[in-house]
Amino acid sequence: GRLPDRHPYANEYRRALELDPTQTALRRDLAFLWLARGRKDEAIQELETVVGHDPEDLLASAQLGFLYLERKQPARAKPLLEKVAAGSDAELARRARQALRRESSALPHKNLGEKSLALSYLNDALRELRLAYEIDPEDHAVAYNLGVVYNLLKDDR
């Protein structure tokens, strides 16, 4: 039979890191392995260690910043993404600037939309949540609340 392509297991990374804990590239690879397996807490822990040892690692800084944004921790994400945005990797810088813009411009609309929904000002909530969704379609909380507002307004389309 044919054996599938084999990727190193996490414990193999751990053993290698025990031999040389300063191997930030190996630790970053372990973080991406954790991400691929859906284990974001472990990935964040490894990326924090990488960025702590090598603050100039733009890839680790960007990924950590994106994870912080995903976890609704913009204060932790912002300095990392600003550093990446000013860095030498053009594509990473573009993605970091895009995430920063999206975060800063969508947040006021999201907050106002959520407050309007809580107070049952449905038309105001609809307007603000629509704007927030247009700015950041990846924000699942906004998408959910937008669906709630549409449902309450009996707009099923």
Side-chain angles (χ1 to χ4, degrees), residues 138-155:
E138 300 296 315
D139 189 328
H140 302 297
V142 169
Y144 172 79
N145 283 330
L146 194 52
V148 167
V149 171
Y150 277 126
N151 186 274
L152 290 170
L153 290 172
K154 304 206 183 311
D155 185 351

Side-chain angles (χ1 to χ4, degrees), residues 3 11 14 18 22 28-29 32 34 45-46 48 50 53 70 77 94 96 99 106 113 144 147:
L3 293 175
N11 61 359
R14 288 270 178 233
E18 284 172 12
T22 62
R28 186 182 58 228
D29 288 347
F32 283 108
W34 286 131
Q45 186 178 350
E46 296 299 339
E48 286 172 341
V50 170
H53 285 295
E70 194 177 297
R94 184 191 66 74
Y144 172 79

Side-chain angles (χ1 to χ4, degrees), residues 39-157:
R39 296 176 63 177
K40 292 180 180 177
D41 291 336
E42 288 92 339
I44 287 173
Q45 186 178 350
E46 296 299 339
L47 289 168
E48 286 172 341
T49 302
V50 170
V51 171
H53 285 295
D54 183 6
E56 299 308 309
D57 188 326
L58 295 179
L59 183 58
S61 296
Q63 186 60 59
L64 186 57
F66 296 144
L67 285 167
Y68 284 153
L69 283 182
E70 194 177 297
R71 293 273 165 102
K72 307 300 178 212
Q73 298 174 322
R76 295 179 83 180
K78 190 174 179 183
L80 292 169
L81 293 176
E82 286 174 344
K83 179 177 64 178
V84 172
S88 59
D89 185 321
E91 177 58 20
L92 264 183
R94 184 191 66 74
R95 290 180 57 206
R97 281 191 300 274
Q98 186 178 30
L100 285 167
R101 258 194 322 275
R102 194 168 48 230
E103 179 65 26
S104 66
S105 59
L107 196 57
H109 296 292
K110 177 182 177 178
N111 291 339
L112 192 54
E114 288 173 352
K115 287 178 187 172
S116 298
L117 176 58
L119 294 170
S120 295
Y121 298 131
L122 298 181
N123 289 325
D124 293 339
L126 179 62
R127 181 184 62 247
E128 295 301 327
L129 291 170
R130 244 198 229 145
L131 285 168
Y133 183 76
E134 287 172 13
I135 294 167
D136 186 4
E138 300 296 315
D139 189 328
H140 302 297
V142 169
Y144 172 79
N145 283 330
L146 194 52
V148 167
V149 171
Y150 277 126
N151 186 274
L152 290 170
L153 290 172
K154 304 206 183 311
D155 185 351
D156 294 330
R157 65 172 167 74

Side-chain angles (χ1 to χ4, degrees), residues 4-23:
D5 288 337
R6 188 176 169 283
H7 296 287
Y9 293 106
N11 61 359
E12 292 171 312
Y13 278 101
R14 288 270 178 233
R15 281 197 298 266
L17 286 168
E18 284 172 12
L19 294 173
D20 187 1
T22 62
Q23 278 292 327

